[in-house]
Amino acid sequence: MDALVILTLFVPFVGFLINGIFNRYIGKKAHWIAVPALGISALGGIAILWQVISSGQVFENVFWTWIIADKLHVPFGYYIDNLSAIMVFVVTFVSFWIHLYSVGYMAEDRSYARYFAYLNFFVFAMLLLVMANNYVLMFVGWEGVGLASYLLIGFWFHKKSASDAANKAFIVNRIGDAGFLLGIFTLFAIFGTLNYTDIFGADLSVNKGLLGLALIFLFIGATGKSAQFPLYVWLPDAMEGPTPVSALIHAATMVTAGVYMVARSAPLYVQVPEVGYIVALTGAFTAVFAATMALVNNDIKRIIAYSTISQIGYMMVGVGLGAYWTGIFHLYTHAFFKALLFLGAGSVMHAMHDVLDINRMGGLKNKLPHTFWTFLIGSLALAGIFPFAGFWSKDSIIHYSELSGHSEIFYLTLTGVLLTAFYTFRLVFRVFFGEPRDKELYEKAHEAPPVMLIPMWVLAFFAVVAGFVSGWFQHFLEAQLPHAHFEHGEGGLILPIITNGLALLGILIAYFMYVKPAVPTSIGENPIIKGIYKILYYRWGIISDWYEIVLMGWLRSLAAGVYRFFEDLFIDGTVEGSAGLTAATGNLVRKLQDGKYSTYALLMTAGFILILYLLVL
């Protein structure tokens, strides 16, 4: 296992170093290093998963002790169990196809080698996070994916919107990361160690109040990294990066880190179900909240971005309620169909000369047949239509939310089903159906090259079949992860019928609004409807204003105060004060050196008398 872990983890890092250091010489050949590096890593991920399945063991090893500071001993090692093996497979497998797709998508970019260097580093950081055997090493990977996202979101740094989006993602995540650090410190205060095996093997029933506080802090970190309310605001703006980057962030790496962290800490969260309820309720609210903003957005990538925020919310519901396998199962299926949707959006943008506004599209079904069919498969999976992958994972979460007895969470998840189906097929119908709304763009549209289409068809295949392992997946994860015990029995066919009915209703509403208009246009003139539309269109401006006025306003005032004190009073005062003192001293000495013999004689006499006085004493 040691060799497999080293190979899977460090080959992408080697690819990052080679392309990063020698990018000027490698240029357009960078993919010959980056893509095979991910291919090797993906094969290693498959081998790790197979070895865990076949042996049924947990593999852990420490390569060296990394930090020794008094009682704090932090090893550099790995911890591979059923959960981390699945995550390694998902990260490497999906990332490989995104790398391959990038060969076609980024072919004309001037910074080709730099792009692939960053992409390799992103995967390395996520693998480090997943494979770590302690919270400190997890935090290193956690910060690594934050750095990689900053570099890739702002990849086209010459655009102010891209650099602003990168800064926003970095700063908002620092807020969450501060909570994560406080959680780590609190765990160390409780257990005296940060190694998984030592913490999970300790007596977890003691000091539940302090443990609950630690878990709340950890979840604050998860809300930042996984874009949950209220720290979701960075993710829609992250669309400023190249589209394959969006696929990587949303499907296989960064935003799933928070879900993985909660599931990794399952032995702790299951001890304090009150904190788990906070996690689940936050996820359920975020699922509906983000979906409402996707209803009226016209940016093809941002619609899918809001979808990610919403679907991560469903994952948080699963892990928060203690049904950890359901949250990870949805993470697993979501990786395939969300990567597919982003790559499909990239194919549309490639055909439409980077136009993002769906109001300028339409009628692309026949122009882009491969993109249409793969995008449709991804959309059906996202909407949760049977038997596509999203149906199995999302319905399992909704089922456990019903069994939990928390009706507010259950009804929020059902509401999300209806909204998800509507905004997803609003996107499909606006882009691929109807008459072209921009004739010039439509005439120039063309299908993507094979290097982009092959990854899309592979991901489409998994978006269809990935959910069929539902029963095995539950058994595999529950064999090692603790889980909450629900008093009621297994669900029947009623809930799937309800969820599929809600999804089909959402699709029908979208169809009769955008393909065969049957809704009177006068409804849009209703003041209430118009008001709701504006609120959603401006992304619940209340939230944005709160960030701008309360949080940003307070931070700006604090920064101005700090500037005035430290810059004007302390730094400038010290510099100018020392300069003034030197000048004053110089003026005094200058007066003593007036060139008159009588002055010098007086000074010499005074000095001689002072010396005699000191000698006598």
Side-chain angles (χ1 to χ4, degrees), residues 21-247:
I21 296 172
F22 303 106
N23 65 86
R24 291 187 178 182
Y25 307 101
I26 295 172
K28 296 295 183 180
K29 297 179 181 178
H31 61 273
W32 289 109
I33 296 167
V35 177
L38 253 293
I40 294 170
S41 189
L43 291 174
I46 294 170
I48 288 173
L49 179 59
W50 176 253
Q51 192 160 339
V52 170
I53 292 172
S54 58
S55 68
Q57 297 179 19
V58 174
F59 297 91
E60 183 177 13
N61 190 26
V62 173
F63 293 115
W64 67 82
T65 300
W66 177 35
I67 298 174
I68 301 178
D70 195 21
K71 296 180 180 180
L72 177 64
H73 288 233
V74 179
F76 188 97
Y78 64 83
Y79 184 85
I80 302 295
D81 64 349
N82 298 5
L83 172 62
S84 52
I86 286 173
M87 288 295 299
V88 169
F89 165 72
V90 171
V91 170
T92 55
F93 185 78
V94 176
S95 296
F96 168 74
W97 296 108
I98 294 172
H99 275 66
L100 183 61
Y101 176 95
S102 297
V103 175
Y105 190 87
M106 299 294 290
E108 303 302 321
D109 197 277
R110 291 179 297 176
S111 301
Y112 192 72
R114 178 167 63 90
Y115 169 82
F116 276 104
Y118 291 167
L119 220 58
N120 272 187
F121 178 75
F122 208 148
V123 178
F124 161 74
M126 187 65 188
L127 288 173
L128 182 63
L129 185 158
V130 168
M131 292 180 170
N133 69 338
N134 62 82
Y135 282 100
V136 176
L137 199 57
M138 176 194 273
F139 186 73
V140 174
W142 190 275
E143 292 300 289
V145 294
L147 171 61
S149 68
Y150 170 79
L151 295 172
L152 285 166
I153 293 169
F155 179 75
W156 291 314
F157 54 84
H158 54 276
K159 293 168 54 182
K160 188 177 186 303
S161 58
S163 59
D164 287 347
N167 288 331
K168 187 174 184 178
F170 197 80
I171 293 168
V172 172
N173 272 277
R174 297 291 72 71
I175 299 171
D177 294 351
F180 192 16
L181 275 176
L182 289 173
I184 292 175
F185 296 154
T186 309
L187 287 178
F188 183 73
I190 298 171
F191 299 106
T193 181
L194 292 170
N195 299 339
Y196 297 153
T197 51
D198 295 333
I199 291 178
F200 301 155
D203 182 4
L204 302 177
S205 62
V206 299
N207 209 348
K208 285 194 176 181
L210 194 57
L211 178 60
L213 181 64
L215 297 180
I216 289 174
F217 282 140
L218 291 179
F219 180 59
I220 291 173
T223 61
K225 200 65 70 182
S226 291
Q228 295 295 281
F229 184 88
L231 299 181
Y232 68 92
V233 293
W234 66 270
L235 194 59
D237 292 344
M239 299 302 97
E240 290 292 338
T243 303
V245 171
S246 302

Side-chain angles (χ1 to χ4, degrees), residues 252-281:
T253 56
M254 185 167 174
V255 295
T256 62
V259 180
Y260 169 76
M261 185 271 291
V262 175
R264 177 81 286 159
S265 307
L268 306 180
Y269 276 96
V270 80
Q271 297 292 325
V272 194
E274 297 82 3
V275 177
Y277 173 75
I278 294 173
V279 174
L281 185 61

Side-chain angles (χ1 to χ4, degrees), residues 303-314:
I303 294 172
I304 306 175
Y306 283 119
S307 166
T308 298
I309 300 172
S310 180
Q311 297 306 304
I312 297 291
Y314 277 97

Side-chain angles (χ1 to χ4, degrees), residues 9 23 59 71 79 227 250 291 313 399 420 484 496 517 522:
L9 175 62
N23 65 86
F59 297 91
K71 296 180 180 180
Y79 184 85
H250 289 244
H399 172 60
T420 300
S522 58

Side-chain angles (χ1 to χ4, degrees), residues 285-402:
F285 173 77
T286 304
V288 175
F289 179 74
T292 61
M293 291 184 282
L295 296 176
V296 298
N297 202 285
N298 295 318
D299 185 308
I300 187 172
K301 289 176 66 177
R302 277 179 167 79
I303 294 172
I304 306 175
Y306 283 119
S307 166
T308 298
I309 300 172
S310 180
Q311 297 306 304
I312 297 291
Y314 277 97
M315 298 175 204
M316 288 297 183
V317 171
V319 296
L321 292 176
Y324 297 98
W325 80 270
T326 62
I328 299 301
F329 187 38
H330 196 48
L331 184 157
Y332 155 79
T333 60
H334 177 265
F336 298 116
F337 63 75
K338 185 50 59 70
L340 171 61
L341 288 173
F342 267 112
L343 298 189
S347 180
V348 171
M349 292 170 59
H350 184 267
M352 302 292 284
H353 300 277
D354 292 328
V355 170
L356 294 167
D357 188 357
I358 61 175
N359 289 326
R360 296 181 62 189
M361 301 176 189
L364 293 176
K365 180 166 65 76
N366 296 324
K367 274 274 189 175
L368 312 174
H370 291 279
T371 300
F372 166 69
W373 285 109
T374 54
F375 199 91
L376 180 62
I377 290 171
S379 299
L380 290 167
L382 174 58
I385 299 297
F386 176 85
F388 295 89
F391 161 78
W392 302 95
S393 55
K394 190 186 291 186
D395 265 40
S396 64
I397 292 171
I398 297 173
H399 172 60
Y400 279 99
S401 70
E402 181 187 23

